[in-house]
Amino acid sequence: MSSNNPFEGFDFEQLRKMLEQLGFGDAENLNLEDLVAQVGRMQGGAMFGMTNADRDPDAAWRTTLTAAKQLAAESGADPTLTPDERSAVVDAERLAQSWLNAATGLPETGRPARAVTRAGWLDETGEGWRRTIEPIIDGLADALERGTTPEQGDPPELQGMTRMFAPMLRQSASMIYRDRLKRELAQVAGDILTGTELGINLLHSPDVLLLPANVAQFTRDLDTPDSDVVLFLLLREAARQRLFHSVGWLSPQLGAMLGHFAREITIDFDAIAEQFSPESLSGLSIEDVVAVGESVRGSFFRPTRTPTQIEILERIQVLLALVEGWVDHVVAQATAQWMPNAPQLEEIVHRRRASGTAVTSVFTELLGLDLHPRLVRDAKNLWAALLHHRGAEGRDAVWGHPDMLPTAAQLADPLPFAAGTVAESDAPEDDLDAELRKLLGG
């Protein structure tokens, strides 16, 4: 008759002796049966408060998003939108679109602008966050599982312990990351000014969105009319949405690169192990095991970087810089005739981008990705050079295919690229290019 105890037959006495030989203290006082029973309960869901719902991806995501909204509400007021706020956004966006029509041939989306609350923005971007983050969670869990796979030469007792802990680590990886994620999302929701200010389009619609509560907080100490700030922010948001809406490959390309990055995740287990000395295992108790779990929580967010990941992150940085540089350039063209204080407003945006707000740090915290302001300035210069050499239509045509975009080296020296003296298509396709092409269906 089979037993429901997955640890039946485990040689605890042999494991006690092995631990004592390794200098882990008085093995007679190390109650391993209790330890293994606790691990079993952890695998059943007790670790870090895990419930059965946490194993359901849909339920786990809803819980994360709800927790983020609760944290956002606790951090500051999220007032209901007034009719005046709604109509002001609609009117200002209409003016912004009319100015942009003279600066770019990329069409507007044809949908009215909307004012949203912080909770509303989280709802609008929830599925986009999920598409972006779940590959990272899966990659982290896979890395933990790979790192705890027993090796061929390991003692049988160690192999048994490793197999015992591996499912617990995989189950916990998602919850550990989501605990960090909900806090980051709450901070971003309390800071972001427009729908796609992050530079990555996470919205489920091409609508131009603005968060009046956050804009009011942002303009509190600015010596410029609030109406000008709102108009300038809507110009930037409308330009960015035109780009995402017109360039169909842009969002999938970013998603493919983030997914590829996630599959390359590795964990520096040596760095985690260094937190604990053999002496600390002397007299190990169940409470100690829980404390160990809490201690390594932070280490999960400092994975080692592989050469492939470094290359992917560099490409993401270039692509995001090209997006923001294009927005800077097109908005400068659109406002040149109508808005004398546009350069001052652009400088305010640049200072915000370089100041390390929640919006600019969220991908650093979750992915280790930094968008360097220098790259954005270089990208703006490149788009200006393209306008000079090819006109507005030729400039925007560069977005026609990812292979047509400049590299980081060409951002630093844009004139040959803009003048067409560099044969961009002559560069050989490397393995990463081939992988991304496969992910995007050719």
Side-chain angles (χ1 to χ4, degrees):
M1 180 174 169
S2 63
S3 170
N4 292 326
N5 181 4
F7 309 112
E8 184 176 7
F10 193 89
D11 191 345
F12 294 106
E13 184 59 31
Q14 182 63 31
L15 182 58
R16 282 195 187 96
K17 292 179 180 178
M18 182 183 71
L19 291 174
E20 191 168 25
Q21 290 171 355
L22 292 174
F24 286 173
D26 182 5
E28 293 301 324
N29 295 325
L30 189 62
N31 194 329
L32 292 174
E33 287 90 340
D34 287 349
L35 173 60
V36 171
Q38 177 70 5
V39 171
R41 289 193 291 274
M42 290 176 182
Q43 291 174 337
M47 191 175 191
F48 304 123
M50 185 178 292
T51 66
N52 289 332
D54 294 314
R55 294 192 186 86
D56 179 348
D58 294 334
W61 185 257
R62 287 193 298 270
T63 300
T64 303
L65 201 60
T66 299
K69 287 192 284 188
Q70 290 173 344
L71 288 173
E74 293 170 2
S75 64
D78 191 17
T80 303
L81 297 167
T82 67
D84 287 345
E85 287 175 327
R86 295 179 187 274
S87 61
V89 169
V90 172
D91 293 342
E93 189 262 353
R94 286 175 183 161
L95 178 59
Q97 295 286 13
S98 69
W99 290 2
L100 287 170
N101 287 336
T104 178
L106 299 185
E108 55 186 292
T109 64
R111 296 173 62 91
R114 290 188 287 127
V116 295
T117 62
R118 294 164 180 168
W121 180 82
L122 284 170
D123 286 331
E124 296 273 353
T125 58
E127 285 304 311
W129 278 114
R130 183 175 180 180
R131 288 193 305 272
T132 302
I133 293 301
E134 285 201 335
I136 305 296
I137 295 175
D138 291 341
L140 177 61
D142 289 342
L144 286 170
E145 189 171 53
R146 289 194 302 269
T148 55
T149 300
E151 297 184 5
Q152 189 69 29
D154 287 342
E157 295 82 4
L158 184 57
Q159 291 187 28
M161 288 292 285
T162 301
R163 284 191 295 267
M164 181 175 63
F165 275 94
M168 178 194 72
L169 288 173
R170 183 173 182 88
Q171 291 171 8
S172 300
S174 172
M175 194 165 186
I176 293 169
Y177 193 91
R178 289 178 193 277
D179 182 70
R180 177 69 166 268
L181 176 62
K182 70 184 180 185
R183 301 177 193 282
E184 293 296 330
L185 292 185
Q187 291 177 5
V188 173
D191 183 52
I192 196 163
L193 303 177
T194 62
T196 63
E197 189 190 2
L198 289 166
I200 294 178
N201 188 16
L202 301 173
L203 298 172
H204 61 71
S205 71
D207 295 359
V208 173
L209 304 183
L210 184 133
L211 288 77
N214 291 352
V215 173
Q217 181 177 294
F218 174 62
T219 59
R220 187 182 305 146
D221 299 324
L222 296 181
D223 186 20
T224 189
D226 290 357
S227 58
D228 285 1
V229 176
V230 168
L231 177 58
F232 191 78
L233 291 174
L234 286 170
L235 278 160
R236 295 183 59 81
E237 182 66 13
R240 202 181 289 111
Q241 279 290 32
R242 286 188 185 214
L243 185 61
F244 283 124
H245 185 62
S246 300
V247 183
W249 60 262
L250 183 53
S251 291
Q253 177 89 332
L254 284 167
M257 287 192 289
L258 290 172
H260 193 172
F261 171 86
R263 291 197 303 277
E264 294 287 326
I265 285 179
T266 60
I267 302 297
D268 188 352
F269 287 99
D270 290 338
I272 295 176
E274 286 173 0
Q275 299 180 53
F276 314 104
S277 62
E279 292 78 13
S280 68
L281 298 179
S282 179
L284 188 67
S285 67
I286 299 303
E287 291 74 17
D288 293 331
V289 174
V290 176
V292 166
E294 293 293 330
S295 297
V296 300
R297 177 192 298 267
S299 299
F300 290 156
F301 303 104
R302 292 190 292 274
T304 56
R305 290 281 180 263
T306 67
T308 299
Q309 283 179 310
I310 292 172
E311 183 180 357
I312 294 170
L313 288 176
E314 289 175 349
R315 293 191 179 202
I316 294 174
Q317 288 170 346
V318 169
L319 189 51
L320 292 180
L322 286 169
V323 170
E324 290 305 294
W326 185 88
V327 170
D328 283 356
H329 165 68
V330 168
V331 170
Q333 294 293 309
T335 56
Q337 183 179 354
W338 309 106
M339 204 172 198
N341 62 345
Q344 289 75 29
L345 291 168
E346 182 181 39
E347 182 58 30
I348 290 172
V349 170
H350 287 178
R351 289 202 304 268
R352 171 176 167 82
R353 190 157 56 204
S355 64
T357 66
V359 168
T360 58
S361 67
V362 62
F363 289 114
T364 302
E365 295 297 326
L366 297 177
L367 304 176
L369 171 63
D370 293 309
L371 177 59
H372 302 297
R374 179 188 57 80
L375 287 180
V376 177
R377 289 192 295 269
D378 290 346
K380 182 184 178 182
N381 292 336
L382 179 135
W383 293 118
L386 281 167
L387 177 66
H388 174 75
H389 284 280
R390 308 185 193 183
E393 185 176 351
R395 174 201 64 198
D396 295 342
V398 174
W399 288 108
H401 192 277
D403 289 351
M404 298 172 64
L405 292 180
T407 63
Q410 290 164 339
L411 280 181
D413 184 20
L415 293 181
F417 177 87
T421 58
V422 177
E424 303 97 45
S425 61
D426 291 343
E429 183 179 79
D430 60 20
D431 292 341
L432 182 57
D433 287 322
E435 177 68 13
L436 289 174
R437 191 179 301 282
K438 183 171 66 174
L439 289 170
L440 293 169

